[in-house]
Amino acid sequence: MTALGEGKLIRVVALALVVRSGNPESWNCGLGGVANTDNHIVLIDPDDDSPSLEADEPESITAEFTPRVRKRLPELARATLKPLIDDAPDNALRVRVTGVLMFDSEHSLGRPLTRTNNWEIHPVFMMEYCPAGKTCSNKGTANWKQIGQ
C-alpha cells in the first residue's frame, strides 16, 4: 500500500457533508465513548453543485479526527465542525484537510462501508474551512480559516 501513497501526508479540498461520532473499533480495543473513538467526516468533490449525503456518500472519502490528535488539538472535534456544516449552504462546508493517507483494511476484511473505497485521511492534523461569503482557492492560502479559530 505504501506504493499507492499510504502513510503520505496529504492536503485535499473537499465539501464536508456530515461529521459523525465514532464507534468502537479494533484499533481502540473496542472501547466506546467520545474520549476513545474517532469522528468520521464525509468528504465529497468540492465542485459538486448539488451535494447530497444520500447521493454522494458512496463515492466519498472519510477523514477522521482521532482521540490522540484531539487531546493535543481539541478544536478538531465533532462539536466544533458540526455547527459549521449545519450553517453552510446546502449543509456542505468547503474544507481543506491535512492528514495522513491511510488504507483502512479492516473494512475490506468484513466490515463493509457505505462508500465504495477504503481510503481515508486518518488522522487529520489540520482542517480549515472557507467562511461564508469568501472565496478560497484550492492552491492559495487567502481566506481559509482554521477550525476552532
Side-chain angles (χ1 to χ4, degrees):
M1 290 294 162
T2 54
L4 297 174
E6 185 174 35
K8 182 179 178 183
L9 185 67
I10 63 170
R11 175 177 281 165
V12 299
V13 173
L15 294 176
L17 297 185
V18 70
V19 56
R20 296 180 175 128
S21 299
N23 298 307
E25 297 180 76
S26 62
W27 70 264
N28 66 358
C29 303
L31 297 172
V34 173
N36 300 310
T37 56
D38 295 334
N39 298 148
H40 300 146
I41 306 146
V42 174
L43 302 176
I44 65 166
D45 183 340
D47 296 323
D48 191 322
D49 58 0
S50 58
S52 156
L53 188 60
E54 183 180 340
D56 296 322
E57 188 169 11
E59 298 301 319
S60 70
I61 299 290
T62 294
E64 299 191 22
F65 297 148
T66 63
R68 182 177 292 171
V69 173
R70 284 196 320 263
K71 211 170 188 130
R72 189 173 47 86
L73 301 167
E75 66 275 9
L76 293 181
R78 181 178 183 274
T80 309
L81 181 57
K82 185 179 181 327
L84 295 170
I85 293 172
D86 291 346
D87 289 344
D90 298 319
N91 298 109
L93 181 67
R94 186 173 177 84
V95 294
R96 186 162 63 175
V97 183
T98 303
V100 176
L101 183 62
M102 184 191 97
F103 184 80
D104 192 342
S105 61
E106 181 176 3
H107 298 300
S108 60
L109 299 172
R111 290 191 60 211
L113 297 168
T114 302
R115 65 180 197 268
T116 59
N117 73 75
N118 295 323
W119 288 96
E120 300 178 351
I121 304 170
H122 187 180
V124 169
F125 294 128
M126 183 171 70
M127 182 176 277
E128 301 158 289
Y129 70 98
C130 191
K134 299 288 184 177
T135 300
C136 301
S137 158
N138 289 1
K139 297 187 187 331
T141 58
N143 297 324
W144 288 106
K145 185 172 180 180
Q146 245 181 292
I147 298 286
Q149 294 183 345

